Structure formats: structure tokens, C-alpha cells
Amino acid sequence: MPTNRSRTIHYQSPEADKKTLFERTGLEQLRALVDGTVSPPPISSHIGLEFISVSEGDVVMTAQPDESHYNPIGSIHGGFFATVLDSACGCAVHSTLPAGVGYTSLEIKVSFLRPITAETGTVTAHGWVTRRGKSASFAEADIRDSEGRVLATASSTCLIIQKGPAQ
């Protein structure tokens, strides 16, 4: 019989940050996450997501796959890949936005190239904007292992929202 395991997820409620979030540009918002002056979004604690670098139109982050992300065949579920890639694409777009402007993912296409398991260890996602438009932006991303092998790629379209959510 398999050994039961558990995982506890800790995060801070984003409600306090939401009130002032859209007073900053997207790049300022993401840099505040990097330097720790703003709490990371709750999804980060689910997948061990951390920012490594942020510049306009370009982000690098890491994620930590573990057994709690496994699918029935014993590898990391495709939802983990998709979540990391959606985060990388979305944050790359986010980094280009002026204050008061938000975005949401309209669509994402993910290509799974190699499996990820808990033994893969920390993976690195790189996201970059390929075209910034007034009402939509386009981005691409990839996930690599510690040896630089590409594990998955994505392309995404994000809707630009001229007034941030909850304003």
C-alpha cells in the first residue's frame, strides 16, 4: 500500500495588495514581487514559483515540481506545465503595461516535449513578448531543466484591459 503524504500550502491573501496594485506599471508591480515588497500571488505556493528576473517584455522564473503534481501515470501533470507557461507568458505581457492597465489570458497553446518528474528538480521558465498591441499582446515561453533541455513551449494571446480589475 502506498505511503500517504500531505502538503500544506501557505500564502498571504492578495486583498491588501489589490487596492494599490494598479497604481503601478506592470513592470513596477513585478519588480515589487521580485524584491519582496509585495506578497507573491497564491498560485506561487502551489507550484513553488519564484521570479528570477523581470525586464520589460521578458521574465524568467523557476518552479519546483514534486510528487503532489503527479498525474495517474507517474509524471508531472500537464496542468503544471500549462500553469508555469501561462504565468511566464502573462507576466511578460504584464511587464509592458502602464499603470491602471491589466490583462487576462485569452488562449494558450502548450507543446509538451519531454516529461517532468519530481527528480527533474527545479525548472526554469522564460517568457517574452513577441508583439504588443493596444487590445491584445502575444507572448511565447519555454520551460527548461537544469541542463538547458527544453521540456515544453507555449504561445499565448493576452487581452489588454484598459482599466484594471476591481477598480
Side-chain angles (χ1 to χ4, degrees):
M1 180 142 205
T3 304
N4 286 332
R5 298 188 180 177
S6 65
R7 181 172 184 199
T8 303
I9 297 171
H10 299 278
Y11 63 92
Q12 293 183 351
S13 171
E15 290 304 311
D17 294 330
K18 281 173 56 176
K19 292 179 176 58
T20 60
L21 199 59
F22 287 91
E23 294 173 359
R24 301 176 178 173
T25 68
L27 187 58
E28 290 168 340
Q29 291 174 41
L30 293 175
R31 286 186 173 155
L33 285 169
V34 171
D35 70 22
T37 57
V38 172
S39 302
I43 189 65
S44 297
S45 49
H46 288 276
I47 57 175
L49 193 65
E50 293 185 18
F51 284 94
I52 301 302
S53 66
V54 176
S55 59
E56 188 168 339
D58 193 276
V59 300
V60 177
M61 51 185 66
T62 59
Q64 187 62 51
D66 65 37
E67 289 176 334
S68 72
H69 303 123
Y70 274 13
N71 60 26
I73 61 170
S75 62
I76 300 298
H77 191 279
F80 176 92
F81 288 83
T83 299
V84 173
L85 290 164
D86 185 54
S87 297
C89 287
C91 287
V93 168
H94 191 163
S95 70
T96 68
L97 301 179
V101 176
Y103 77 95
T104 191
S105 298
L106 282 176
E107 59 93 27
I108 185 167
K109 179 196 180 295
V110 176
S111 296
F112 304 99
L113 306 175
R114 295 175 186 262
I116 298 176
T117 66
E119 289 76 33
T120 302
T122 301
V123 295
T124 301
H126 178 205
W128 60 95
V129 173
T130 57
R131 183 175 183 281
R132 166 78 162 92
K134 184 175 180 171
S135 60
S137 286
F138 304 87
E140 295 181 0
D142 63 31
I143 298 175
R144 295 176 185 258
D145 66 13
S146 63
E147 297 187 22
R149 290 180 294 225
V150 178
L151 307 173
T153 61
S155 59
S156 178
T157 306
C158 293
L159 175 69
I160 305 303
I161 303 167
Q162 295 304 319
K163 187 172 183 178
Q167 279 192 345

